Amino acid sequence: MTRTILHCDMNSFYASVELLQYPELCRKPVAVCGDPTSRHGIILAKNEAAKRYGIVTAETIWQARRKCPGLILLPPHRERYSAYSKQINAIYCRYTDLVEPFSIDESWLDITGSMHLFGGDGKVIADEIRAVVRNETGLTCSVGVSFNKIFAKLGSDYKKPDATTVLAPDSWQETVFPLPVSSLLFVGKTVSKTLHQYGIDTIGQLAQCSPAMLQNLFGKMGQQLYEYANGLEHAPVRPYGERAPVKSVGNGTTFSRDLTRWEDVLRHISILADTVAVRLRQHGLYCTGVQVAIRDPSFRTITRQKQLPHSTHLTRDITAACMELLHHSWQMPHPIRMLTVTALNLVPAAQWSQQLDLFSTASPEREHKAEQLEGAMDRIRSKFGTGAIAYGAAFAEQRRKTAHKKGNDGPAFPESET
Ligand SMILES: [Mg+2]
């Protein structure tokens, strides 16, 4: 069945909330920034007038002031933003219980099942929601109306501020195909750049690519890109208040210098495995599979998975499984630009019994000790910070990083090479 999904995106949210207090400033260039007294403070948000001066989010106050000397700076009020966010989502919930916030000022609404109660037309409902939000809060939003979440989001970005854009099942191509690939959600600079190298710049060109080719270039994400560009994305809009179930826990790092030696690979795998294991334990989950992704400087990525003989949430086991995968799939000294470690096939702790496989060298006592050790590490970290303790291989790197950090903040501190 064709769905009707709205994506509602508040216009210049932080700046608009601040300007409710100062209506006289609305037409002047205004930005909300971290610390207005520091020229190194960063622009968090800007109003339409400031946008016209080319002010962009995340640039420094100093850069922004050069573009617009008269820029008015306001400090942020985060509690106020979340109060408005709640109020606005409560408005959305009058139209459907399927309201999934994407960020503090963006939500998806699936109105397929309820739209007949409100006249039955997606665009009319979108316009009504915009008017209600404006009347009740004084804030404006842009709404995209489409048949999947990706295009709804594209629609809300398409026309700003205070507008509705419909991307209908029978006519979306004429609007969507000419747009640059980067207008698709989750398509960042790196992916756009890689696609550009293959002559793919528009969503239309991306839609023409074979899924196999995209999979070769981007792994699992390639299939997703194909679906996004062809309007085949079908992820559901979650009911309000429901958190996405944790399906996998992963962490990756891009290295400033490519890795070429086993000892460096081991060191970084243990660091990544450690962060993954800690997060599993925080979620009360165990994994029964592990995946490693290795990317080289030319962005060729290989992904390898392994089922584990027993479920685990221990750094030791995840590191060992990843290293085994690497021994089968990596040849020293082929440079590694990025490594990602992901724990897969997660099971709740309750399902985990002492299902040690009979043929492994593990003994119940050894397992118990490893559990106790990493549990103790968690407690030490919660008391003294993440950097307080780590496994040997990871420790050297952590020490290096800490030294580096100190070097940035305080007086010159030489980076200790380990
Ligand atoms: Mg917004």
PDB file of all heavy atoms in Angstrom, residues 233-266:
ATOM      1  N   GLU A 233      12.742   3.017  -0.764  1.00  0.00           N
ATOM      2  CA  GLU A 233      12.998   2.924   0.667  1.00  0.00           C
ATOM      3  C   GLU A 233      11.678   2.654   1.392  1.00  0.00           C
ATOM      4  O   GLU A 233      10.647   3.220   1.042  1.00  0.00           O
ATOM      5  CB  GLU A 233      13.615   4.246   1.137  1.00  0.00           C
ATOM      6  CG  GLU A 233      14.186   4.207   2.525  1.00  0.00           C
ATOM      7  CD  GLU A 233      13.249   4.782   3.563  1.00  0.00           C
ATOM      8  OE1 GLU A 233      12.192   5.338   3.207  1.00  0.00           O
ATOM      9  OE2 GLU A 233      13.582   4.652   4.739  1.00  0.00           O
ATOM     10  N   HIS A 234      11.705   1.760   2.385  1.00  0.00           N
ATOM     11  CA  HIS A 234      10.430   1.380   2.998  1.00  0.00           C
ATOM     12  C   HIS A 234      10.490   1.301   4.528  1.00  0.00           C
ATOM     13  O   HIS A 234       9.673   0.634   5.147  1.00  0.00           O
ATOM     14  CB  HIS A 234       9.969   0.042   2.418  1.00  0.00           C
ATOM     15  CG  HIS A 234      11.022  -1.026   2.555  1.00  0.00           C
ATOM     16  ND1 HIS A 234      11.882  -1.333   1.528  1.00  0.00           N
ATOM     17  CD2 HIS A 234      11.399  -1.785   3.599  1.00  0.00           C
ATOM     18  CE1 HIS A 234      12.722  -2.266   1.944  1.00  0.00           C
ATOM     19  NE2 HIS A 234      12.458  -2.562   3.193  1.00  0.00           N
ATOM     20  N   ALA A 235      11.464   1.979   5.141  1.00  0.00           N
ATOM     21  CA  ALA A 235      11.552   1.937   6.606  1.00  0.00           C
ATOM     22  C   ALA A 235      10.298   2.531   7.224  1.00  0.00           C
ATOM     23  O   ALA A 235       9.773   3.523   6.725  1.00  0.00           O
ATOM     24  CB  ALA A 235      12.786   2.704   7.071  1.00  0.00           C
ATOM     25  N   PRO A 236       9.799   1.912   8.278  1.00  0.00           N
ATOM     26  CA  PRO A 236       8.580   2.424   8.906  1.00  0.00           C
ATOM     27  C   PRO A 236       8.842   3.670   9.742  1.00  0.00           C
ATOM     28  O   PRO A 236       9.966   3.907  10.171  1.00  0.00           O
ATOM     29  CB  PRO A 236       8.139   1.271   9.814  1.00  0.00           C
ATOM     30  CG  PRO A 236       9.408   0.565  10.155  1.00  0.00           C
ATOM     31  CD  PRO A 236      10.318   0.726   8.965  1.00  0.00           C
ATOM     32  N   VAL A 237       7.799   4.455   9.960  1.00  0.00           N
ATOM     33  CA  VAL A 237       7.853   5.559  10.925  1.00  0.00           C
ATOM     34  C   VAL A 237       7.455   4.965  12.272  1.00  0.00           C
ATOM     35  O   VAL A 237       6.419   4.326  12.382  1.00  0.00           O
ATOM     36  CB  VAL A 237       6.869   6.683  10.532  1.00  0.00           C
ATOM     37  CG1 VAL A 237       6.847   7.774  11.592  1.00  0.00           C
ATOM     38  CG2 VAL A 237       7.249   7.266   9.171  1.00  0.00           C
ATOM     39  N   ARG A 238       8.328   5.126  13.247  1.00  0.00           N
ATOM     40  CA  ARG A 238       8.073   4.503  14.555  1.00  0.00           C
ATOM     41  C   ARG A 238       7.037   5.266  15.372  1.00  0.00           C
ATOM     42  O   ARG A 238       6.954   6.487  15.266  1.00  0.00           O
ATOM     43  CB  ARG A 238       9.363   4.488  15.373  1.00  0.00           C
ATOM     44  CG  ARG A 238      10.313   3.522  14.868  1.00  0.00           C
ATOM     45  CD  ARG A 238      11.602   3.473  15.617  1.00  0.00           C
ATOM     46  NE  ARG A 238      12.513   2.762  14.775  1.00  0.00           N
ATOM     47  CZ  ARG A 238      12.397   1.482  14.481  1.00  0.00           C
ATOM     48  NH1 ARG A 238      11.431   0.766  15.012  1.00  0.00           N
ATOM     49  NH2 ARG A 238      13.230   0.902  13.660  1.00  0.00           N
ATOM     50  N   PRO A 239       6.276   4.536  16.196  1.00  0.00           N
ATOM     51  CA  PRO A 239       5.331   5.213  17.098  1.00  0.00           C
ATOM     52  C   PRO A 239       6.081   6.159  18.030  1.00  0.00           C
ATOM     53  O   PRO A 239       7.218   5.872  18.416  1.00  0.00           O
ATOM     54  CB  PRO A 239       4.703   4.070  17.902  1.00  0.00           C
ATOM     55  CG  PRO A 239       4.974   2.840  17.113  1.00  0.00           C
ATOM     56  CD  PRO A 239       6.234   3.081  16.350  1.00  0.00           C
ATOM     57  N   TYR A 240       5.432   7.253  18.379  1.00  0.00           N
ATOM     58  CA  TYR A 240       6.073   8.264  19.223  1.00  0.00           C
ATOM     59  C   TYR A 240       6.503   7.642  20.552  1.00  0.00           C
ATOM     60  O   TYR A 240       5.756   6.908  21.184  1.00  0.00           O
ATOM     61  CB  TYR A 240       5.107   9.426  19.485  1.00  0.00           C
ATOM     62  CG  TYR A 240       5.782  10.614  20.114  1.00  0.00           C
ATOM     63  CD1 TYR A 240       6.760  11.309  19.421  1.00  0.00           C
ATOM     64  CD2 TYR A 240       5.466  11.020  21.404  1.00  0.00           C
ATOM     65  CE1 TYR A 240       7.397  12.400  19.989  1.00  0.00           C
ATOM     66  CE2 TYR A 240       6.096  12.111  21.977  1.00  0.00           C
ATOM     67  CZ  TYR A 240       7.071  12.797  21.259  1.00  0.00           C
ATOM     68  OH  TYR A 240       7.711  13.859  21.815  1.00  0.00           O
ATOM     69  N   GLY A 241       7.720   7.945  20.944  1.00  0.00           N
ATOM     70  CA  GLY A 241       8.208   7.454  22.232  1.00  0.00           C
ATOM     71  C   GLY A 241       8.896   6.115  22.150  1.00  0.00           C
ATOM     72  O   GLY A 241       9.538   5.681  23.090  1.00  0.00           O
ATOM     73  N   GLU A 242       8.765   5.432  21.008  1.00  0.00           N
ATOM     74  CA  GLU A 242       9.426   4.134  20.885  1.00  0.00           C
ATOM     75  C   GLU A 242      10.842   4.331  20.386  1.00  0.00           C
ATOM     76  O   GLU A 242      11.077   4.989  19.381  1.00  0.00           O
ATOM     77  CB  GLU A 242       8.655   3.252  19.905  1.00  0.00           C
ATOM     78  CG  GLU A 242       9.192   1.838  19.844  1.00  0.00           C
ATOM     79  CD  GLU A 242       8.533   1.023  18.731  1.00  0.00           C
ATOM     80  OE1 GLU A 242       7.323   0.771  18.830  1.00  0.00           O
ATOM     81  OE2 GLU A 242       9.238   0.666  17.774  1.00  0.00           O
ATOM     82  N   ARG A 243      11.791   3.769  21.105  1.00  0.00           N
ATOM     83  CA  ARG A 243      13.173   3.895  20.663  1.00  0.00           C
ATOM     84  C   ARG A 243      13.486   2.790  19.671  1.00  0.00           C
ATOM     85  O   ARG A 243      12.962   1.672  19.767  1.00  0.00           O
ATOM     86  CB  ARG A 243      14.121   3.779  21.871  1.00  0.00           C
ATOM     87  CG  ARG A 243      13.920   4.924  22.845  1.00  0.00           C
ATOM     88  CD  ARG A 243      15.219   5.615  23.232  1.00  0.00           C
ATOM     89  NE  ARG A 243      16.348   4.726  23.401  1.00  0.00           N
ATOM     90  CZ  ARG A 243      16.839   4.376  24.589  1.00  0.00           C
ATOM     91  NH1 ARG A 243      16.262   4.770  25.690  1.00  0.00           N
ATOM     92  NH2 ARG A 243      17.911   3.626  24.653  1.00  0.00           N
ATOM     93  N   ALA A 244      14.300   3.100  18.688  1.00  0.00           N
ATOM     94  CA  ALA A 244      14.703   2.091  17.708  1.00  0.00           C
ATOM     95  C   ALA A 244      15.413   0.952  18.439  1.00  0.00           C
ATOM     96  O   ALA A 244      16.254   1.196  19.290  1.00  0.00           O
ATOM     97  CB  ALA A 244      15.636   2.715  16.689  1.00  0.00           C
ATOM     98  N   PRO A 245      15.015  -0.299  18.150  1.00  0.00           N
ATOM     99  CA  PRO A 245      15.715  -1.399  18.812  1.00  0.00           C
ATOM    100  C   PRO A 245      17.176  -1.435  18.360  1.00  0.00           C
ATOM    101  O   PRO A 245      17.472  -1.134  17.212  1.00  0.00           O
ATOM    102  CB  PRO A 245      14.962  -2.641  18.341  1.00  0.00           C
ATOM    103  CG  PRO A 245      14.291  -2.236  17.074  1.00  0.00           C
ATOM    104  CD  PRO A 245      14.024  -0.768  17.189  1.00  0.00           C
ATOM    105  N   VAL A 246      18.049  -1.770  19.290  1.00  0.00           N
ATOM    106  CA  VAL A 246      19.463  -1.848  18.930  1.00  0.00           C
ATOM    107  C   VAL A 246      19.677  -3.134  18.144  1.00  0.00           C
ATOM    108  O   VAL A 246      19.457  -4.218  18.653  1.00  0.00           O
ATOM    109  CB  VAL A 246      20.332  -1.847  20.202  1.00  0.00           C
ATOM    110  CG1 VAL A 246      21.806  -1.854  19.843  1.00  0.00           C
ATOM    111  CG2 VAL A 246      20.002  -0.644  21.054  1.00  0.00           C
ATOM    112  N   LYS A 247      20.062  -3.005  16.885  1.00  0.00           N
ATOM    113  CA  LYS A 247      20.264  -4.179  16.048  1.00  0.00           C
ATOM    114  C   LYS A 247      21.726  -4.563  15.987  1.00  0.00           C
ATOM    115  O   LYS A 247      22.086  -5.710  15.803  1.00  0.00           O
ATOM    116  CB  LYS A 247      19.763  -3.903  14.623  1.00  0.00           C
ATOM    117  CG  LYS A 247      18.268  -4.013  14.508  1.00  0.00           C
ATOM    118  CD  LYS A 247      17.885  -4.017  13.033  1.00  0.00           C
ATOM    119  CE  LYS A 247      16.388  -3.802  12.883  1.00  0.00           C
ATOM    120  NZ  LYS A 247      16.076  -2.962  11.744  1.00  0.00           N
ATOM    121  N   SER A 248      22.578  -3.547  16.071  1.00  0.00           N
ATOM    122  CA  SER A 248      24.002  -3.822  16.058  1.00  0.00           C
ATOM    123  C   SER A 248      24.672  -2.671  16.779  1.00  0.00           C
ATOM    124  O   SER A 248      24.091  -1.606  16.939  1.00  0.00           O
ATOM    125  CB  SER A 248      24.521  -3.916  14.623  1.00  0.00           C
ATOM    126  OG  SER A 248      24.389  -2.666  13.988  1.00  0.00           O
ATOM    127  N   VAL A 249      25.865  -2.922  17.248  1.00  0.00           N
ATOM    128  CA  VAL A 249      26.628  -1.876  17.913  1.00  0.00           C
ATOM    129  C   VAL A 249      27.979  -1.827  17.227  1.00  0.00           C
ATOM    130  O   VAL A 249      28.682  -2.832  17.173  1.00  0.00           O
ATOM    131  CB  VAL A 249      26.809  -2.186  19.422  1.00  0.00           C
ATOM    132  CG1 VAL A 249      27.774  -1.204  20.052  1.00  0.00           C
ATOM    133  CG2 VAL A 249      25.475  -2.139  20.139  1.00  0.00           C
ATOM    134  N   GLY A 250      28.304  -0.682  16.654  1.00  0.00           N
ATOM    135  CA  GLY A 250      29.559  -0.608  15.915  1.00  0.00           C
ATOM    136  C   GLY A 250      30.301   0.678  16.186  1.00  0.00           C
ATOM    137  O   GLY A 250      29.740   1.645  16.684  1.00  0.00           O
ATOM    138  N   ASN A 251      31.572   0.638  15.868  1.00  0.00           N
ATOM    139  CA  ASN A 251      32.387   1.846  16.000  1.00  0.00           C
ATOM    140  C   ASN A 251      33.519   1.772  14.976  1.00  0.00           C
ATOM    141  O   ASN A 251      34.093   0.708  14.764  1.00  0.00           O
ATOM    142  CB  ASN A 251      32.952   1.946  17.420  1.00  0.00           C
ATOM    143  CG  ASN A 251      33.526   3.322  17.705  1.00  0.00           C
ATOM    144  OD1 ASN A 251      33.347   4.254  16.910  1.00  0.00           O
ATOM    145  ND2 ASN A 251      34.224   3.456  18.802  1.00  0.00           N
ATOM    146  N   GLY A 252      33.814   2.892  14.350  1.00  0.00           N
ATOM    147  CA  GLY A 252      34.882   2.915  13.346  1.00  0.00           C
ATOM    148  C   GLY A 252      35.760   4.128  13.503  1.00  0.00           C
ATOM    149  O   GLY A 252      35.358   5.112  14.118  1.00  0.00           O
ATOM    150  N   THR A 253      36.962   4.046  12.987  1.00  0.00           N
ATOM    151  CA  THR A 253      37.884   5.176  13.027  1.00  0.00           C
ATOM    152  C   THR A 253      38.557   5.325  11.669  1.00  0.00           C
ATOM    153  O   THR A 253      38.966   4.338  11.057  1.00  0.00           O
ATOM    154  CB  THR A 253      39.027   4.943  14.053  1.00  0.00           C
ATOM    155  OG1 THR A 253      38.462   4.557  15.283  1.00  0.00           O
ATOM    156  CG2 THR A 253      39.861   6.194  14.242  1.00  0.00           C
ATOM    157  N   THR A 254      38.663   6.574  11.223  1.00  0.00           N
ATOM    158  CA  THR A 254      39.500   6.877  10.072  1.00  0.00           C
ATOM    159  C   THR A 254      40.830   7.376  10.627  1.00  0.00           C
ATOM    160  O   THR A 254      40.848   8.236  11.497  1.00  0.00           O
ATOM    161  CB  THR A 254      38.848   7.963   9.208  1.00  0.00           C
ATOM    162  OG1 THR A 254      37.578   7.471   8.780  1.00  0.00           O
ATOM    163  CG2 THR A 254      39.697   8.285   7.993  1.00  0.00           C
ATOM    164  N   PHE A 255      41.919   6.813  10.146  1.00  0.00           N
ATOM    165  CA  PHE A 255      43.225   7.130  10.734  1.00  0.00           C
ATOM    166  C   PHE A 255      43.884   8.294  10.013  1.00  0.00           C
ATOM    167  O   PHE A 255      43.779   8.423   8.798  1.00  0.00           O
ATOM    168  CB  PHE A 255      44.130   5.893  10.689  1.00  0.00           C
ATOM    169  CG  PHE A 255      43.465   4.700  11.299  1.00  0.00           C
ATOM    170  CD1 PHE A 255      43.041   3.649  10.507  1.00  0.00           C
ATOM    171  CD2 PHE A 255      43.204   4.659  12.659  1.00  0.00           C
ATOM    172  CE1 PHE A 255      42.388   2.560  11.069  1.00  0.00           C
ATOM    173  CE2 PHE A 255      42.550   3.585  13.221  1.00  0.00           C
ATOM    174  CZ  PHE A 255      42.141   2.528  12.425  1.00  0.00           C
ATOM    175  N   SER A 256      44.572   9.123  10.786  1.00  0.00           N
ATOM    176  CA  SER A 256      45.264  10.254  10.170  1.00  0.00           C
ATOM    177  C   SER A 256      46.450   9.740   9.354  1.00  0.00           C
ATOM    178  O   SER A 256      46.838  10.331   8.361  1.00  0.00           O
ATOM    179  CB  SER A 256      45.722  11.236  11.236  1.00  0.00           C
ATOM    180  OG  SER A 256      46.373  10.558  12.277  1.00  0.00           O
ATOM    181  N   ARG A 257      47.035   8.619   9.800  1.00  0.00           N
ATOM    182  CA  ARG A 257      48.063   7.949   9.004  1.00  0.00           C
ATOM    183  C   ARG A 257      47.607   6.525   8.736  1.00  0.00           C
ATOM    184  O   ARG A 257      47.145   5.846   9.654  1.00  0.00           O
ATOM    185  CB  ARG A 257      49.390   7.909   9.779  1.00  0.00           C
ATOM    186  CG  ARG A 257      50.408   8.927   9.280  1.00  0.00           C
ATOM    187  CD  ARG A 257      51.631   8.897  10.148  1.00  0.00           C
ATOM    188  NE  ARG A 257      51.275   9.114  11.568  1.00  0.00           N
ATOM    189  CZ  ARG A 257      52.166   9.073  12.554  1.00  0.00           C
ATOM    190  NH1 ARG A 257      53.430   8.796  12.311  1.00  0.00           N
ATOM    191  NH2 ARG A 257      51.792   9.291  13.809  1.00  0.00           N
ATOM    192  N   ASP A 258      47.713   6.053   7.490  1.00  0.00           N
ATOM    193  CA  ASP A 258      47.269   4.703   7.166  1.00  0.00           C
ATOM    194  C   ASP A 258      48.024   3.676   8.008  1.00  0.00           C
ATOM    195  O   ASP A 258      49.204   3.847   8.297  1.00  0.00           O
ATOM    196  CB  ASP A 258      47.514   4.414   5.681  1.00  0.00           C
ATOM    197  CG  ASP A 258      46.645   5.296   4.795  1.00  0.00           C
ATOM    198  OD1 ASP A 258      45.604   5.769   5.288  1.00  0.00           O
ATOM    199  OD2 ASP A 258      47.025   5.517   3.627  1.00  0.00           O
ATOM    200  N   LEU A 259      47.313   2.614   8.379  1.00  0.00           N
ATOM    201  CA  LEU A 259      47.961   1.534   9.129  1.00  0.00           C
ATOM    202  C   LEU A 259      48.576   0.545   8.143  1.00  0.00           C
ATOM    203  O   LEU A 259      47.956   0.203   7.141  1.00  0.00           O
ATOM    204  CB  LEU A 259      46.944   0.794  10.002  1.00  0.00           C
ATOM    205  CG  LEU A 259      46.049   1.617  10.927  1.00  0.00           C
ATOM    206  CD1 LEU A 259      45.187   0.680  11.763  1.00  0.00           C
ATOM    207  CD2 LEU A 259      46.878   2.529  11.813  1.00  0.00           C
ATOM    208  N   THR A 260      49.773   0.077   8.453  1.00  0.00           N
ATOM    209  CA  THR A 260      50.420  -0.902   7.563  1.00  0.00           C
ATOM    210  C   THR A 260      51.021  -2.058   8.352  1.00  0.00           C
ATOM    211  O   THR A 260      51.536  -2.997   7.766  1.00  0.00           O
ATOM    212  CB  THR A 260      51.549  -0.230   6.749  1.00  0.00           C
ATOM    213  OG1 THR A 260      52.424   0.440   7.670  1.00  0.00           O
ATOM    214  CG2 THR A 260      51.001   0.782   5.754  1.00  0.00           C
ATOM    215  N   ARG A 261      50.971  -1.982   9.681  1.00  0.00           N
ATOM    216  CA  ARG A 261      51.632  -3.021  10.480  1.00  0.00           C
ATOM    217  C   ARG A 261      50.628  -3.727  11.389  1.00  0.00           C
ATOM    218  O   ARG A 261      49.695  -3.110  11.899  1.00  0.00           O
ATOM    219  CB  ARG A 261      52.731  -2.383  11.350  1.00  0.00           C
ATOM    220  CG  ARG A 261      53.809  -1.699  10.535  1.00  0.00           C
ATOM    221  CD  ARG A 261      54.888  -1.179  11.442  1.00  0.00           C
ATOM    222  NE  ARG A 261      54.317  -0.370  12.530  1.00  0.00           N
ATOM    223  CZ  ARG A 261      55.043   0.143  13.524  1.00  0.00           C
ATOM    224  NH1 ARG A 261      56.348  -0.087  13.578  1.00  0.00           N
ATOM    225  NH2 ARG A 261      54.481   0.870  14.454  1.00  0.00           N
ATOM    226  N   TRP A 262      50.889  -5.023  11.602  1.00  0.00           N
ATOM    227  CA  TRP A 262      49.989  -5.822  12.434  1.00  0.00           C
ATOM    228  C   TRP A 262      49.820  -5.227  13.828  1.00  0.00           C
ATOM    229  O   TRP A 262      48.735  -5.196  14.383  1.00  0.00           O
ATOM    230  CB  TRP A 262      50.508  -7.268  12.558  1.00  0.00           C
ATOM    231  CG  TRP A 262      50.046  -8.119  11.428  1.00  0.00           C
ATOM    232  CD1 TRP A 262      50.825  -8.686  10.447  1.00  0.00           C
ATOM    233  CD2 TRP A 262      48.693  -8.501  11.127  1.00  0.00           C
ATOM    234  NE1 TRP A 262      50.039  -9.383   9.563  1.00  0.00           N
ATOM    235  CE2 TRP A 262      48.732  -9.288   9.956  1.00  0.00           C
ATOM    236  CE3 TRP A 262      47.463  -8.241  11.727  1.00  0.00           C
ATOM    237  CZ2 TRP A 262      47.588  -9.821   9.379  1.00  0.00           C
ATOM    238  CZ3 TRP A 262      46.320  -8.782  11.147  1.00  0.00           C
ATOM    239  CH2 TRP A 262      46.384  -9.561   9.985  1.00  0.00           C
ATOM    240  N   GLU A 263      50.925  -4.758  14.421  1.00  0.00           N
ATOM    241  CA  GLU A 263      50.804  -4.277  15.801  1.00  0.00           C
ATOM    242  C   GLU A 263      49.871  -3.071  15.892  1.00  0.00           C
ATOM    243  O   GLU A 263      49.127  -2.923  16.854  1.00  0.00           O
ATOM    244  CB  GLU A 263      52.183  -3.958  16.383  1.00  0.00           C
ATOM    245  CG  GLU A 263      52.980  -3.001  15.520  1.00  0.00           C
ATOM    246  CD  GLU A 263      54.423  -2.859  16.014  1.00  0.00           C
ATOM    247  OE1 GLU A 263      54.609  -2.230  17.073  1.00  0.00           O
ATOM    248  OE2 GLU A 263      55.323  -3.368  15.326  1.00  0.00           O
ATOM    249  N   ASP A 264      49.910  -2.209  14.844  1.00  0.00           N
ATOM    250  CA  ASP A 264      48.997  -1.053  14.855  1.00  0.00           C
ATOM    251  C   ASP A 264      47.559  -1.505  14.651  1.00  0.00           C
ATOM    252  O   ASP A 264      46.635  -0.972  15.258  1.00  0.00           O
ATOM    253  CB  ASP A 264      49.387  -0.069  13.750  1.00  0.00           C
ATOM    254  CG  ASP A 264      50.741   0.558  14.017  1.00  0.00           C
ATOM    255  OD1 ASP A 264      51.106   0.670  15.206  1.00  0.00           O
ATOM    256  OD2 ASP A 264      51.440   0.898  13.041  1.00  0.00           O
ATOM    257  N   VAL A 265      47.397  -2.500  13.766  1.00  0.00           N
ATOM    258  CA  VAL A 265      46.056  -3.004  13.507  1.00  0.00           C
ATOM    259  C   VAL A 265      45.475  -3.604  14.787  1.00  0.00           C
ATOM    260  O   VAL A 265      44.349  -3.295  15.184  1.00  0.00           O
ATOM    261  CB  VAL A 265      46.085  -4.048  12.368  1.00  0.00           C
ATOM    262  CG1 VAL A 265      44.744  -4.753  12.256  1.00  0.00           C
ATOM    263  CG2 VAL A 265      46.448  -3.374  11.047  1.00  0.00           C
ATOM    264  N   LEU A 266      46.267  -4.402  15.480  1.00  0.00           N
ATOM    265  CA  LEU A 266      45.803  -5.013  16.730  1.00  0.00           C
ATOM    266  C   LEU A 266      45.425  -3.942  17.751  1.00  0.00           C
ATOM    267  O   LEU A 266      44.386  -4.009  18.399  1.00  0.00           O
ATOM    268  CB  LEU A 266      46.884  -5.939  17.315  1.00  0.00           C
ATOM    269  CG  LEU A 266      46.619  -6.430  18.754  1.00  0.00           C
ATOM    270  CD1 LEU A 266      45.325  -7.239  18.821  1.00  0.00           C
ATOM    271  CD2 LEU A 266      47.780  -7.267  19.291  1.00  0.00           C
TER     272      LEU A 266
END
